Amino acid sequence: MRAGRRLAKVDEQLEAVELINSAKSIYNLSYRELSQILNIPESLLCRYANGDLLPSLDTVSIIKERLRPMLDLTEVLRRNVVIKDGFIDLNNVLFNPYILKLYQRRIKDLFSDLPINKVLTAATDGIPLSVMASYALNARLAIAKQYKDVASEDFYEVSYIVDSPPRRASLYLPRHLLERGDEVLIVDDIVRTGRTLNALIELVNSAGAKLVGVSILISMSKSWVDKLRDRNVRIDIILDLSDLRN
C-alpha cells in the first residue's frame, strides 16, 4: 500500500475514533450505551477511544453510519443551546472541544474547495469558532476588536450601531492582518440584526480583499442573507432561529 493510501486509511480510522469520543462526551454516554448503538463490544470501544487500537475500515463504516446522524451539528446545537427569555447561551457549545471539532469538520467539508486564506471574526465570542475554521482551512486568522491594540499603529476602522444598550460602536483591525487580494471567510456565532456582520464586510471591502464565504452558527434574521445573494458568497447557517425571533 502506497504512503498516500496508508495516510488516507489512518485519517478515516482517526475520524471514527473522534466520532466515538464526540458522541460519548456530547451525549454523556457510557461505553455500554455506545456498544448498544454500534453493536461493537465495550472492550473494543474503550481501546478505540483511548488510542490503543484503531478500528478496521469495515468497523469505521459502521461507526460513521450510526454516529454521524447523532453528531449532525445542527442537531447538536438544538440540544446544547440554552434559550431563555430571548437570551441565547452558547457556553455549552463554545466551551466544548468536541462540538468545536464538529464545527471544524463542517468548515472543512463546506469551504475547503474555496481559495480562502483569511478567516475574519469580531471579538470575543466568535474567536473559538474562527480558530477552528482557521485550522480547518489552513488560513490565517484576523480578529476585529472594539479597541486598538497597542502593538499596532495602522488600522482599518468601521463604526456601526449596536442595540443593547443603543450606542455607536467601532471595530478596529490592524491593517497587516487583512490585505488586498485576500480571500476571506467571515465567521460569527450569532447574527441578530446583521450589523456586526455588515461591519466585518466593510472591513473586507476597505482592505481590498474578497469575501467568499460566511459561516454563522445561529441566525436570528434572514434579512442579511438577501443582501449577500448577489455577491456570489457561499453562506452556511448551521441553526436558523429567525422564526423564534419573529
Side-chain angles (χ1 to χ4, degrees):
M1 185 182 296
R2 291 185 299 179
R5 291 180 62 189
R6 286 199 300 269
L7 288 175
K9 174 184 175 181
V10 171
D11 186 59
E12 286 195 56
Q13 291 171 312
L14 292 176
E15 180 186 353
V17 172
E18 183 180 303
L19 291 176
I20 290 171
N21 285 315
S22 295
K24 188 174 185 300
S25 172
I26 292 170
Y27 289 93
N28 195 28
L29 298 174
S30 66
Y31 285 118
R32 174 173 295 182
E33 291 169 323
L34 269 176
S35 176
Q36 292 171 348
I37 293 170
L38 297 172
N39 196 26
I40 297 173
E42 293 177 54
S43 57
L44 277 180
L45 287 175
C46 184
R47 294 183 70 189
Y48 295 154
N50 292 333
D52 295 329
L53 182 69
L54 290 177
S56 69
L57 290 183
D58 287 341
T59 304
V60 166
S61 297
I62 294 172
I63 292 170
K64 288 183 178 181
E65 179 184 352
R66 299 189 181 181
L67 291 187
R68 272 182 169 168
M70 293 174 56
L71 295 174
D72 173 76
L73 190 52
T74 300
E75 178 61 25
V76 170
L77 288 184
R78 291 188 189 279
R79 290 174 174 268
N80 286 273
V81 171
V82 177
I83 303 174
K84 185 176 181 180
D85 299 328
F87 175 75
I88 299 177
D89 183 356
L90 289 179
N91 285 339
N92 292 340
V93 174
L94 298 179
F95 299 144
N96 187 320
Y98 291 103
I99 297 179
L100 290 177
K101 286 288 287 184
L102 294 179
Y103 178 76
Q104 176 188 327
R105 186 164 293 279
R106 183 177 179 112
I107 290 291
K108 185 175 181 179
D109 289 344
L110 294 182
F111 293 101
S112 61
D113 63 315
L114 298 178
I116 295 167
N117 69 320
K118 292 288 175 68
V119 174
L120 175 64
T121 193
T124 58
D125 290 343
I127 292 177
L129 299 173
S130 62
V131 169
M132 303 308 289
S134 177
Y135 188 79
L137 301 174
N138 193 27
R140 300 295 296 272
L141 184 59
I143 300 174
K145 303 177 182 178
Q146 292 190 356
Y147 58 86
K148 293 183 177 181
D149 286 323
V150 295
S152 300
E153 296 183 355
D154 201 6
F155 295 85
Y156 300 111
E157 177 183 350
V158 61
S159 296
Y160 62 108
I161 304 296
V162 296
D163 289 328
S164 183
R167 67 190 190 281
R168 182 172 293 277
S170 294
L171 285 179
Y172 302 93
L173 181 70
R175 285 180 176 265
H176 71 273
L177 294 181
L178 198 59
E179 300 175 329
R180 180 173 297 277
D182 282 341
E183 308 239 16
V184 182
L185 171 71
I186 289 179
V187 169
D188 206 353
D189 60 333
I190 303 175
V191 172
R192 294 181 175 87
T193 64
R195 291 172 183 169
T196 302
L197 178 62
N198 289 336
L200 291 171
I201 293 173
E202 284 191 46
L203 290 175
V204 173
N205 295 337
S206 296
K210 180 182 178 182
L211 177 65
V212 297
V214 176
S215 171
I216 305 299
L217 201 66
I218 296 176
S219 177
M220 304 293 293
S221 168
K222 293 180 179 177
S223 60
W224 64 272
V225 178
D226 297 331
K227 296 178 182 178
L228 290 177
R229 290 197 187 279
D230 60 349
R231 294 194 52 164
N232 194 28
V233 174
R234 186 175 298 176
I235 300 171
D236 181 36
I237 301 170
I238 299 173
L239 181 58
D240 184 359
L241 295 181
S242 56
D243 292 339
L244 178 66
R245 184 181 177 90
N246 295 333

